Amino acid sequence: MMNTIPPNDFGHYRLLDRLVQMEPATALDPELAGQFAAIGIVKGTTFAPDPRRRGILDEAAAVGNAASRTFGMGAHPTEDYRYYEGETAWWNMLFVGGFEFTNPPPLITADGVRPFPDTGARQLHGRTSFFYTATGITPAMCMRLTNVGSQYLVANVDPGGEPFDGARTYRVRLPKDIPAARFWSLTAYDNQTRSMLRTPQRYPRAGSQMHPSPAAGTEPDGSTIVYFSPTQPDHVAPGNWIQTDPARGWFTLLRLYSPLQSFFDKTWRAGEIEPVQ
């Protein structure tokens, strides 16, 4: 058990000050160091804002957290994060800005690699969205190469646009031939902490692996149906059920390790997560 959640109140500034004091002055980019200095965080100087500045920083932390949560917990249509055409909740911010949040990852064609034109601008919304939701990033998360790295799709809402409610029952159908050469998984996360849901089930996941919980079973047509609900539905195998907390909202990530071509050309498409009751 460990806490990887950064503080979203005044503790954010205290943690930042600890970092600045601990590291050499040259460890920081001068541009960033200048921003820190503007609010009183300077190497070798005590960080002690007066009441007026403390009030400004408290408000800034609240507004910054709310804005970051908005980017991280959803995909506004203007951002072009949705992965599939038409109505869908599945999205990924990395295909717009790539690993460095500047340009989309290059296309892989029969004639070779085809990069996109350089926009010359960092996509700050995409970067904020990713790092509010996740902890770290690698290039392998955003390459259009089959059997290399991993790919992720996020879903936060049902087909009606409503956030997932931990007190309700939902199901999703994944068509046969899920495009992952190594393994695939669905994991449920807490909206507030962005950490895995904490429930008596312990492992809020379903997938092709047999550990640490049973692998998901398939339907006669080869598809896989997974349920999200606070109690295990009747006639649903343990490996096809992810337990939710009635008091918490949630979102999910579909992970595909060593993704296959049908993911990239979208001939395989994940079903939408629909409420059952």
Side-chain angles (χ1 to χ4, degrees):
M1 186 79 67
M2 68 176 184
N3 184 3
T4 64
I5 307 167
N8 57 15
D9 54 14
F10 189 76
H12 166 79
Y13 304 105
R14 290 200 177 100
L15 189 64
L16 184 59
D17 180 59
R18 283 176 55 194
L19 172 69
V20 170
Q21 303 308 327
M22 179 176 63
E23 297 290 341
T26 54
L28 293 173
D29 177 270
E31 184 74 21
L32 282 177
Q35 294 183 36
F36 302 160
I39 59 174
I41 298 177
V42 180
K43 176 76 172 179
T45 301
T46 300
F47 176 54
D50 59 28
R52 174 181 172 277
R53 178 166 290 187
R54 170 64 188 263
I56 293 172
L57 293 177
D58 284 338
E59 181 179 4
V63 172
N65 181 67
S68 299
R69 185 181 299 281
T70 300
F71 293 137
M73 293 292 104
H76 193 277
T78 59
E79 302 288 359
D80 201 26
Y81 293 159
R82 303 290 181 182
Y83 189 66
Y84 300 115
E85 296 293 330
E87 296 296 323
T88 181
W90 294 107
W91 63 285
N92 184 326
M93 76 294 285
L94 295 179
F95 283 101
V96 175
F99 166 68
E100 295 182 309
F101 305 98
T102 51
N103 308 301
L107 296 175
I108 306 300
T109 72
D111 299 321
V113 177
R114 192 178 78 190
F116 287 86
D118 193 337
T119 63
R122 186 84 64 197
Q123 297 194 17
L124 300 182
H125 288 185
R127 185 175 67 179
T128 299
S129 173
F130 184 89
F131 285 112
Y132 191 85
T133 306
T135 303
I137 188 171
T138 71
M141 291 179 175
C142 193
M143 296 188 296
R144 304 180 200 266
L145 294 173
T146 59
N147 284 292
V148 175
S150 54
Q151 291 294 336
Y152 306 83
L153 292 179
V154 189
N156 308 73
V157 297
D158 67 19
E162 294 297 319
F164 297 132
D165 182 345
R168 301 186 67 184
T169 297
Y170 300 82
R171 71 179 168 212
V172 60
R173 181 186 293 271
L174 302 177
K176 69 174 183 178
D177 300 326
I178 296 172
R182 291 187 179 273
F183 66 94
W184 66 269
S185 71
L186 274 169
T187 305
Y189 295 86
D190 187 311
N191 276 354
Q192 298 298 313
T193 67
R194 292 94 72 199
S195 297
M196 288 186 286
L197 279 175
R198 296 182 64 181
T199 68
Q201 191 183 40
R202 293 193 65 193
Y203 304 106
R205 50 81 66 180
S208 57
Q209 290 182 307
M210 300 177 65
H211 181 81
S213 56
T218 58
E219 299 295 301
D221 65 358
S223 67
T224 303
I225 299 178
V226 175
Y227 286 80
F228 301 82
S229 60
T231 58
Q232 186 175 347
D234 294 338
H235 311 300
V236 173
N240 293 72
W241 170 59
I242 300 175
Q243 187 173 25
T244 58
D245 182 340
R248 314 289 294 185
W250 58 274
F251 68 98
T252 189
L253 261 70
L254 172 62
R255 289 178 163 84
L256 305 171
Y257 290 88
S258 293
L260 302 178
Q261 182 59 30
S262 59
F263 172 77
F264 296 108
D265 63 24
K266 303 178 185 177
T267 54
W268 183 90
R269 175 170 174 160
E272 300 300 310
I273 302 175
E274 301 177 331
V276 177
Q277 62 184 41

